[in-house]
């Protein structure tokens, strides 16, 4: 039989492999695509999922990673971003939160620090400015109060 088709012993015709499966030339059965790949009906090979997507064993399509998660090419699952990072839907990497922002639970975006607080790059929270210092909203550091 031709690749992407299979035939059982003693039959006079070939069948297409279903979605999520593939066959090599001369096969008597179809094999499921490995996790991280997919196939359409009649496939001779499985196609690797692109970064930002994943698939399970025997899949007919790749699934887009949700916000706060990422994946590399050929992934069987998405990886959650660490706090201090974020990722949009379908991301291939997590992006570090810039100074004056943070992320903790909602890893789809970085949140701004309030006035009177600050943060360094990749923070999971904002720190309160110590006595004798201050900050405006979106500050990466605190400013010393002047004498007087």
């Amino acid at each position: 039989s031709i690749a992407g088709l299979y035939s059982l012993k003693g039959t006079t015709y070939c069948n297409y492999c279903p979605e999520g499966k593939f066959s090599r030339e001369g096969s008597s059965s179809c094999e499921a695509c490995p996790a991280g790949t997919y196939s359409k009906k009649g496939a001779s090979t499985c196609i690797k999922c692109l970064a930002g997507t994943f698939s399970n064993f025997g899949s007919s399509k790749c699934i887009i990673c949700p916000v706060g998660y990422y994946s590399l090419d050929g992934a069987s699952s998405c990886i959650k971003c660490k706090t201090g990072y974020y990722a949009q839907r379908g991301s291939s990497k997590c992006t570090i939160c810039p100074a004056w922002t943070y992320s903790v639970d909602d890893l789809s975006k970085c949140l701004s620090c309030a006035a009177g607080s600050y943060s360094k790059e990749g923070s999971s929270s904002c720190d309160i400015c110590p006595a004798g210092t201050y900050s405006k909203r979106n500050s990466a550091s605190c400013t010393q109060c002047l004498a007087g």
Side-chain angles (χ1 to χ4, degrees):
S1 65
I2 300 169
L5 302 170
Y6 71 98
S7 65
L8 301 173
K9 188 175 181 178
T11 59
T12 58
Y13 59 90
C14 293
N15 295 304
Y16 285 101
C17 289
E19 292 183 339
K21 294 189 174 192
F22 74 101
S23 74
R24 294 178 179 84
E25 192 171 335
S27 292
S28 61
S29 65
C30 300
E31 297 176 49
C33 289
T37 67
Y38 72 98
S39 75
K40 297 299 180 195
K41 182 178 178 180
S44 59
T45 59
C46 298
I47 302 163
K48 189 186 285 191
C49 291
L50 298 176
T53 67
F54 75 99
S55 74
N56 298 311
F57 181 78
S59 291
S60 62
K61 64 181 180 182
C62 298
I63 301 163
I64 297 172
C65 292
V67 295
Y69 290 79
Y70 74 98
S71 75
L72 303 176
D73 284 344
S76 59
S77 64
C78 298
I79 302 163
K80 188 174 185 176
C81 295
K82 297 188 302 190
T83 58
Y85 290 75
Y86 72 97
Q88 298 299 319
R89 185 173 181 262
S91 291
S92 60
K93 66 183 175 79
C94 295
T95 304
I96 194 164
C97 289
W100 60 266
T101 68
Y102 70 100
S103 74
V104 62
D105 294 325
D106 177 7
L107 301 173
S108 67
K109 62 182 183 278
C110 300
L111 305 170
S112 297
C113 291
S117 66
Y118 70 99
S119 74
K120 296 193 177 354
E121 183 180 73
S123 293
S124 59
S125 65
C126 298
D127 295 317
I128 303 297
C129 289
T133 66
Y134 72 95
S135 75
K136 295 189 160 97
R137 181 174 162 85
N138 299 342
S139 292
S141 61
C142 299
T143 304
Q144 194 73 38
C145 293
L146 299 175

